Amino acid sequence: MKLRILAAVLAAGVSFSFGPASAAELEVTHWWTSGGEAAAVAELAKAFDATGNKWIDGAIAGSGGTARPIMVSRITGGDPMGATQFNHGRQAEELAQSGLMRDLTDVATRENWKDIIKPSSLLDSCTIDGKIYCAPVNIHSWQWLWLSNAAFKTAGVDVPKNWDEFVAAAPALEKAGIIPLAVGGQPWQSAGAFDVLMVAIAGKDVFNKVFGDKDEAVAAGPEIAKVFGAADDARKMAKGSNVQDWNQATNLVITGKAGGQIMGDWAQGEFQLAGQTAGTDYTCLPGLGVNEIISTGGDAFYFPLLKDEEKSKAQEVLASTLINPTTQVAFNLKKGSLPVRGDVDLAAANDCMKKGLDILAKGNVIQGTDQLLSADSQKQKEDLFSEFFASAMTPEEAQKRFADIIASAD
């Protein structure tokens, strides 16, 4: 993406005033459109509206893969929104380097973000050349297996305690007419499931060598071969899902039509909206019940440079509002994610959120692949696993292609 010449043109004439903010309308784009997500984003809108400004919702249906190109196109095309969601990591890296995104360092310094945002890797992912370009709003971990207690009761088997027990229960689920594993058709879902399997089966160190160090030899080695074997089990268990969106797959679990789903903790919002209770109606296994580790990915808001002075002031107010402790609690309780602040009261957290908080407190964390890989490398990985889950590609062939991707990854 060649943005730098365009950035110079668009940035011309942009100026900021950092006095007290006046009321302004800000269009905020995001891809939170499922029921649980909509309930959570409403909390952000309510908090911002309470400042006297107005949140203009710019939800884009689909997923991040659908929404991000639209967001980037608007920013580079001279039609920027007031704020936009991206995942923690490198998705907006070139936009910031090209001078198209607002520097939030003054706000972050004034409000001591470096002291209150935990873990520090969240703010590190917002930092480019020493400047802070985004406001993290949550910690979302991919490392979860969600299980329908009703499905296993129908199948006459105990609710599994780990991945191996889940695989062993698959035949009983199938005999009862239940899909063992729900996986939607969006490429990021199968790629994310593979990442979760890697941490559970090969461990944290191997995960970091592959995605952090870009170690081709490890990616082509025996530990990752075991992960591809598990991924082969997963795709066999997922036959019959026949859904596209992640929340449709989650609904299969909620309704007992599927035994389980590997999905990030944002799935909790869907269970909550359906009136289900953690530990009673559904079971959550962090790290697939094998390695209790969570990834510290999630969502952050970036602020494109604007020519409108009042809207520029309102951007500061929104950035501050997103980090506000009251906003953090209200939003994350509905989103199913963990707060980015370590000083907030989450007494109302459910059993699954408490498990995540405990793992976070112990420091059993890894960075997400959005933080470790460029958007281009991430897309290559997603395309591979989308094809793998939808075809008869052998695990050996898939591993070879995976190692090639890691070898050229940045």
Side-chain angles (χ1 to χ4, degrees), residues 183-185 190 228 231-240 382-399 401:
V183 179
S190 49
F228 272 95
D232 188 36
D233 289 336
R235 70 174 171 177
K236 291 173 183 174
M237 294 165 66
K239 286 182 179 179
E382 289 178 357
D383 288 345
L384 168 62
F385 286 103
S386 178
E387 183 180 350
F388 177 72
F389 268 72
S391 72
M393 183 190 303
T394 67
E396 292 77 16
E397 180 186 354
Q399 184 177 5
R401 287 177 54 180

mmCIF file of all heavy atoms in Angstrom, residues 183-185 190 228 231-240 382-399 401:
data_model
loop_
_atom_site.group_PDB
_atom_site.id
_atom_site.type_symbol
_atom_site.label_atom_id
_atom_site.label_comp_id
_atom_site.label_asym_id
_atom_site.label_seq_id
_atom_site.Cartn_x
_atom_site.Cartn_y
_atom_site.Cartn_z
ATOM 1 N N VAL A 183 -17.366 -24.400 13.382
ATOM 2 C CA VAL A 183 -16.398 -23.472 12.800
ATOM 3 C C VAL A 183 -17.071 -22.761 11.633
ATOM 4 O O VAL A 183 -17.565 -23.407 10.712
ATOM 5 C CB VAL A 183 -15.127 -24.199 12.298
ATOM 6 C CG1 VAL A 183 -14.156 -23.194 11.677
ATOM 7 C CG2 VAL A 183 -14.439 -24.943 13.435
ATOM 8 N N GLY A 184 -17.095 -21.433 11.661
ATOM 9 C CA GLY A 184 -17.679 -20.669 10.572
ATOM 10 C C GLY A 184 -16.736 -20.584 9.385
ATOM 11 O O GLY A 184 -15.564 -20.951 9.462
ATOM 12 N N GLY A 185 -17.261 -20.097 8.275
ATOM 13 C CA GLY A 185 -16.503 -20.085 7.034
ATOM 14 C C GLY A 185 -15.557 -18.923 6.851
ATOM 15 O O GLY A 185 -14.790 -18.906 5.880
ATOM 16 N N SER A 190 -10.734 -20.234 11.144
ATOM 17 C CA SER A 190 -9.918 -21.447 11.082
ATOM 18 C C SER A 190 -8.460 -21.138 11.403
ATOM 19 O O SER A 190 -7.777 -21.934 12.070
ATOM 20 C CB SER A 190 -10.045 -22.110 9.712
ATOM 21 O OG SER A 190 -9.871 -21.183 8.661
ATOM 22 N N PHE A 228 -0.675 -29.798 13.315
ATOM 23 C CA PHE A 228 -1.437 -30.033 12.093
ATOM 24 C C PHE A 228 -2.267 -31.312 12.193
ATOM 25 O O PHE A 228 -3.358 -31.401 11.616
ATOM 26 C CB PHE A 228 -0.510 -30.062 10.870
ATOM 27 C CG PHE A 228 -0.282 -28.699 10.284
ATOM 28 C CD1 PHE A 228 0.826 -27.955 10.649
ATOM 29 C CD2 PHE A 228 -1.197 -28.156 9.397
ATOM 30 C CE1 PHE A 228 1.033 -26.687 10.124
ATOM 31 C CE2 PHE A 228 -1.010 -26.888 8.869
ATOM 32 C CZ PHE A 228 0.110 -26.144 9.230
ATOM 33 N N ALA A 231 -5.230 -30.167 13.999
ATOM 34 C CA ALA A 231 -6.058 -29.362 13.095
ATOM 35 C C ALA A 231 -6.841 -30.260 12.144
ATOM 36 O O ALA A 231 -7.986 -29.954 11.784
ATOM 37 C CB ALA A 231 -5.187 -28.379 12.317
ATOM 38 N N ASP A 232 -6.238 -31.382 11.766
ATOM 39 C CA ASP A 232 -6.937 -32.351 10.920
ATOM 40 C C ASP A 232 -8.125 -32.947 11.678
ATOM 41 O O ASP A 232 -9.222 -33.103 11.119
ATOM 42 C CB ASP A 232 -5.961 -33.443 10.486
ATOM 43 C CG ASP A 232 -6.554 -34.385 9.438
ATOM 44 O OD1 ASP A 232 -7.325 -33.923 8.584
ATOM 45 O OD2 ASP A 232 -6.228 -35.585 9.476
ATOM 46 N N ASP A 233 -7.910 -33.263 12.959
ATOM 47 C CA ASP A 233 -9.025 -33.724 13.794
ATOM 48 C C ASP A 233 -10.122 -32.665 13.852
ATOM 49 O O ASP A 233 -11.316 -32.982 13.742
ATOM 50 C CB ASP A 233 -8.544 -34.030 15.218
ATOM 51 C CG ASP A 233 -7.683 -35.274 15.313
ATOM 52 O OD1 ASP A 233 -7.802 -36.155 14.433
ATOM 53 O OD2 ASP A 233 -6.892 -35.366 16.271
ATOM 54 N N ALA A 234 -9.701 -31.413 14.021
ATOM 55 C CA ALA A 234 -10.669 -30.322 14.154
ATOM 56 C C ALA A 234 -11.523 -30.166 12.901
ATOM 57 O O ALA A 234 -12.742 -29.998 12.986
ATOM 58 C CB ALA A 234 -9.937 -29.008 14.467
ATOM 59 N N ARG A 235 -10.897 -30.229 11.734
ATOM 60 C CA ARG A 235 -11.698 -30.031 10.513
ATOM 61 C C ARG A 235 -12.652 -31.204 10.280
ATOM 62 O O ARG A 235 -13.750 -31.007 9.747
ATOM 63 C CB ARG A 235 -10.807 -29.790 9.301
ATOM 64 C CG ARG A 235 -9.999 -30.958 8.812
ATOM 65 C CD ARG A 235 -9.278 -30.617 7.511
ATOM 66 N NE ARG A 235 -8.334 -31.668 7.145
ATOM 67 C CZ ARG A 235 -7.618 -31.658 6.026
ATOM 68 N NH1 ARG A 235 -7.739 -30.649 5.166
ATOM 69 N NH2 ARG A 235 -6.777 -32.637 5.765
ATOM 70 N N LYS A 236 -12.257 -32.416 10.682
ATOM 71 C CA LYS A 236 -13.178 -33.554 10.576
ATOM 72 C C LYS A 236 -14.369 -33.369 11.518
ATOM 73 O O LYS A 236 -15.513 -33.677 11.166
ATOM 74 C CB LYS A 236 -12.449 -34.855 10.916
ATOM 75 C CG LYS A 236 -11.402 -35.267 9.883
ATOM 76 C CD LYS A 236 -10.595 -36.463 10.362
ATOM 77 C CE LYS A 236 -9.498 -36.838 9.361
ATOM 78 N NZ LYS A 236 -8.612 -37.911 9.897
ATOM 79 N N MET A 237 -14.092 -32.838 12.711
ATOM 80 C CA MET A 237 -15.153 -32.609 13.689
ATOM 81 C C MET A 237 -16.068 -31.462 13.279
ATOM 82 O O MET A 237 -17.205 -31.368 13.746
ATOM 83 C CB MET A 237 -14.537 -32.325 15.060
ATOM 84 C CG MET A 237 -13.787 -33.504 15.654
ATOM 85 S SD MET A 237 -12.718 -33.019 17.033
ATOM 86 C CE MET A 237 -13.922 -32.489 18.236
ATOM 87 N N ALA A 238 -15.563 -30.588 12.422
ATOM 88 C CA ALA A 238 -16.320 -29.387 12.035
ATOM 89 C C ALA A 238 -17.205 -29.597 10.820
ATOM 90 O O ALA A 238 -17.956 -28.693 10.444
ATOM 91 C CB ALA A 238 -15.353 -28.232 11.766
ATOM 92 N N LYS A 239 -17.114 -30.763 10.191
ATOM 93 C CA LYS A 239 -17.949 -31.025 9.015
ATOM 94 C C LYS A 239 -19.421 -30.899 9.390
ATOM 95 O O LYS A 239 -19.873 -31.456 10.385
ATOM 96 C CB LYS A 239 -17.667 -32.418 8.456
ATOM 97 C CG LYS A 239 -16.333 -32.528 7.724
ATOM 98 C CD LYS A 239 -16.129 -33.916 7.148
ATOM 99 C CE LYS A 239 -14.812 -34.026 6.391
ATOM 100 N NZ LYS A 239 -14.581 -35.382 5.844
ATOM 101 N N GLY A 240 -20.150 -30.168 8.578
ATOM 102 C CA GLY A 240 -21.575 -29.997 8.843
ATOM 103 C C GLY A 240 -21.925 -28.702 9.531
ATOM 104 O O GLY A 240 -23.109 -28.428 9.768
ATOM 105 N N GLU A 382 -4.337 -16.834 7.016
ATOM 106 C CA GLU A 382 -5.785 -17.038 6.994
ATOM 107 C C GLU A 382 -6.222 -17.759 5.726
ATOM 108 O O GLU A 382 -7.069 -18.664 5.766
ATOM 109 C CB GLU A 382 -6.504 -15.689 7.115
ATOM 110 C CG GLU A 382 -6.386 -15.055 8.494
ATOM 111 C CD GLU A 382 -7.066 -13.708 8.572
ATOM 112 O OE1 GLU A 382 -7.578 -13.233 7.530
ATOM 113 O OE2 GLU A 382 -7.102 -13.121 9.670
ATOM 114 N N ASP A 383 -5.656 -17.369 4.596
ATOM 115 C CA ASP A 383 -6.018 -18.010 3.333
ATOM 116 C C ASP A 383 -5.655 -19.494 3.343
ATOM 117 O O ASP A 383 -6.414 -20.338 2.847
ATOM 118 C CB ASP A 383 -5.323 -17.311 2.165
ATOM 119 C CG ASP A 383 -5.892 -15.932 1.869
ATOM 120 O OD1 ASP A 383 -6.994 -15.620 2.371
ATOM 121 O OD2 ASP A 383 -5.226 -15.148 1.155
ATOM 122 N N LEU A 384 -4.494 -19.810 3.915
ATOM 123 C CA LEU A 384 -4.066 -21.202 3.984
ATOM 124 C C LEU A 384 -5.047 -22.037 4.792
ATOM 125 O O LEU A 384 -5.487 -23.115 4.349
ATOM 126 C CB LEU A 384 -2.665 -21.297 4.594
ATOM 127 C CG LEU A 384 -2.212 -22.721 4.986
ATOM 128 C CD1 LEU A 384 -2.148 -23.633 3.763
ATOM 129 C CD2 LEU A 384 -0.858 -22.669 5.700
ATOM 130 N N PHE A 385 -5.404 -21.557 5.981
ATOM 131 C CA PHE A 385 -6.251 -22.378 6.841
ATOM 132 C C PHE A 385 -7.702 -22.404 6.388
ATOM 133 O O PHE A 385 -8.413 -23.380 6.639
ATOM 134 C CB PHE A 385 -6.103 -21.943 8.302
ATOM 135 C CG PHE A 385 -4.787 -22.387 8.866
ATOM 136 C CD1 PHE A 385 -3.741 -21.490 9.028
ATOM 137 C CD2 PHE A 385 -4.566 -23.720 9.151
ATOM 138 C CE1 PHE A 385 -2.507 -21.917 9.487
ATOM 139 C CE2 PHE A 385 -3.339 -24.158 9.618
ATOM 140 C CZ PHE A 385 -2.307 -23.256 9.787
ATOM 141 N N SER A 386 -8.128 -21.372 5.693
ATOM 142 C CA SER A 386 -9.449 -21.413 5.083
ATOM 143 C C SER A 386 -9.506 -22.535 4.056
ATOM 144 O O SER A 386 -10.466 -23.321 4.014
ATOM 145 C CB SER A 386 -9.759 -20.072 4.410
ATOM 146 O OG SER A 386 -11.011 -20.103 3.776
ATOM 147 N N GLU A 387 -8.456 -22.651 3.250
ATOM 148 C CA GLU A 387 -8.397 -23.718 2.248
ATOM 149 C C GLU A 387 -8.259 -25.082 2.912
ATOM 150 O O GLU A 387 -8.901 -26.060 2.504
ATOM 151 C CB GLU A 387 -7.227 -23.464 1.292
ATOM 152 C CG GLU A 387 -7.122 -24.482 0.170
ATOM 153 C CD GLU A 387 -5.958 -24.230 -0.777
ATOM 154 O OE1 GLU A 387 -5.328 -23.148 -0.681
ATOM 155 O OE2 GLU A 387 -5.661 -25.121 -1.594
ATOM 156 N N PHE A 388 -7.426 -25.166 3.940
ATOM 157 C CA PHE A 388 -7.192 -26.444 4.624
ATOM 158 C C PHE A 388 -8.489 -26.994 5.213
ATOM 159 O O PHE A 388 -8.804 -28.180 5.065
ATOM 160 C CB PHE A 388 -6.144 -26.264 5.721
ATOM 161 C CG PHE A 388 -5.867 -27.502 6.530
ATOM 162 C CD1 PHE A 388 -5.165 -28.566 5.989
ATOM 163 C CD2 PHE A 388 -6.318 -27.597 7.841
ATOM 164 C CE1 PHE A 388 -4.910 -29.715 6.740
ATOM 165 C CE2 PHE A 388 -6.066 -28.741 8.603
ATOM 166 C CZ PHE A 388 -5.368 -29.803 8.043
ATOM 167 N N PHE A 389 -9.266 -26.139 5.881
ATOM 168 C CA PHE A 389 -10.490 -26.598 6.523
ATOM 169 C C PHE A 389 -11.581 -26.935 5.518
ATOM 170 O O PHE A 389 -12.505 -27.682 5.839
ATOM 171 C CB PHE A 389 -10.989 -25.553 7.529
ATOM 172 C CG PHE A 389 -10.481 -25.761 8.925
ATOM 173 C CD1 PHE A 389 -9.155 -25.506 9.246
ATOM 174 C CD2 PHE A 389 -11.313 -26.236 9.927
ATOM 175 C CE1 PHE A 389 -8.664 -25.707 10.531
ATOM 176 C CE2 PHE A 389 -10.837 -26.442 11.211
ATOM 177 C CZ PHE A 389 -9.518 -26.178 11.518
ATOM 178 N N ALA A 390 -11.466 -26.393 4.298
ATOM 179 C CA ALA A 390 -12.519 -26.592 3.310
ATOM 180 C C ALA A 390 -12.160 -27.619 2.235
ATOM 181 O O ALA A 390 -12.932 -27.836 1.306
ATOM 182 C CB ALA A 390 -12.857 -25.265 2.637
ATOM 183 N N SER A 391 -10.996 -28.266 2.360
ATOM 184 C CA SER A 391 -10.535 -29.156 1.299
ATOM 185 C C SER A 391 -9.960 -30.446 1.874
ATOM 186 O O SER A 391 -9.975 -30.661 3.087
ATOM 187 C CB SER A 391 -9.468 -28.448 0.454
ATOM 188 O OG SER A 391 -8.249 -28.328 1.184
ATOM 189 N N ALA A 392 -9.417 -31.247 0.980
ATOM 190 C CA ALA A 392 -8.776 -32.496 1.390
ATOM 191 C C ALA A 392 -7.258 -32.341 1.436
ATOM 192 O O ALA A 392 -6.527 -33.340 1.406
ATOM 193 C CB ALA A 392 -9.159 -33.613 0.426
ATOM 194 N N MET A 393 -6.764 -31.123 1.517
ATOM 195 C CA MET A 393 -5.325 -30.887 1.617
ATOM 196 C C MET A 393 -4.747 -31.695 2.782
ATOM 197 O O MET A 393 -5.305 -31.696 3.887
ATOM 198 C CB MET A 393 -5.047 -29.393 1.854
ATOM 199 C CG MET A 393 -3.581 -29.025 1.903
ATOM 200 S SD MET A 393 -3.317 -27.298 2.474
ATOM 201 C CE MET A 393 -4.288 -26.374 1.289
ATOM 202 N N THR A 394 -3.643 -32.381 2.559
ATOM 203 C CA THR A 394 -3.062 -33.192 3.628
ATOM 204 C C THR A 394 -2.397 -32.288 4.662
ATOM 205 O O THR A 394 -1.944 -31.175 4.347
ATOM 206 C CB THR A 394 -2.011 -34.162 3.077
ATOM 207 O OG1 THR A 394 -0.889 -33.409 2.590
ATOM 208 C CG2 THR A 394 -2.589 -35.032 1.969
ATOM 209 N N PRO A 395 -2.297 -32.754 5.914
ATOM 210 C CA PRO A 395 -1.586 -31.983 6.929
ATOM 211 C C PRO A 395 -0.138 -31.708 6.527
ATOM 212 O O PRO A 395 0.396 -30.630 6.824
ATOM 213 C CB PRO A 395 -1.662 -32.876 8.172
ATOM 214 C CG PRO A 395 -2.901 -33.689 7.965
ATOM 215 C CD PRO A 395 -2.964 -33.947 6.489
ATOM 216 N N GLU A 396 0.495 -32.661 5.844
ATOM 217 C CA GLU A 396 1.888 -32.489 5.439
ATOM 218 C C GLU A 396 2.024 -31.361 4.414
ATOM 219 O O GLU A 396 2.941 -30.531 4.500
ATOM 220 C CB GLU A 396 2.422 -33.788 4.848
ATOM 221 C CG GLU A 396 2.562 -34.933 5.852
ATOM 222 C CD GLU A 396 1.230 -35.590 6.199
ATOM 223 O OE1 GLU A 396 0.236 -35.389 5.450
ATOM 224 O OE2 GLU A 396 1.175 -36.295 7.233
ATOM 225 N N GLU A 397 1.116 -31.331 3.453
ATOM 226 C CA GLU A 397 1.148 -30.269 2.454
ATOM 227 C C GLU A 397 0.872 -28.913 3.100
ATOM 228 O O GLU A 397 1.529 -27.917 2.785
ATOM 229 C CB GLU A 397 0.105 -30.534 1.362
ATOM 230 C CG GLU A 397 0.074 -29.470 0.265
ATOM 231 C CD GLU A 397 -1.062 -29.675 -0.719
ATOM 232 O OE1 GLU A 397 -1.767 -30.707 -0.628
ATOM 233 O OE2 GLU A 397 -1.245 -28.791 -1.582
ATOM 234 N N ALA A 398 -0.090 -28.886 3.998
ATOM 235 C CA ALA A 398 -0.429 -27.634 4.672
ATOM 236 C C ALA A 398 0.745 -27.136 5.515
ATOM 237 O O ALA A 398 1.030 -25.930 5.543
ATOM 238 C CB ALA A 398 -1.662 -27.831 5.544
ATOM 239 N N GLN A 399 1.446 -28.048 6.190
ATOM 240 C CA GLN A 399 2.582 -27.621 7.011
ATOM 241 C C GLN A 399 3.697 -27.044 6.155
ATOM 242 O O GLN A 399 4.336 -26.064 6.539
ATOM 243 C CB GLN A 399 3.111 -28.786 7.857
ATOM 244 C CG GLN A 399 4.237 -28.337 8.797
ATOM 245 C CD GLN A 399 4.732 -29.451 9.697
ATOM 246 O OE1 GLN A 399 4.319 -30.607 9.576
ATOM 247 N NE2 GLN A 399 5.636 -29.124 10.614
ATOM 248 N N ARG A 401 3.378 -25.458 3.321
ATOM 249 C CA ARG A 401 2.968 -24.118 2.917
ATOM 250 C C ARG A 401 3.040 -23.146 4.093
ATOM 251 O O ARG A 401 3.409 -21.973 3.942
ATOM 252 C CB ARG A 401 1.560 -24.159 2.324
ATOM 253 C CG ARG A 401 1.532 -24.785 0.936
ATOM 254 C CD ARG A 401 0.140 -24.896 0.374
ATOM 255 N NE ARG A 401 -0.586 -23.619 0.361
ATOM 256 C CZ ARG A 401 -1.822 -23.484 -0.099
ATOM 257 N NH1 ARG A 401 -2.448 -24.542 -0.618
ATOM 258 N NH2 ARG A 401 -2.426 -22.313 -0.065
#
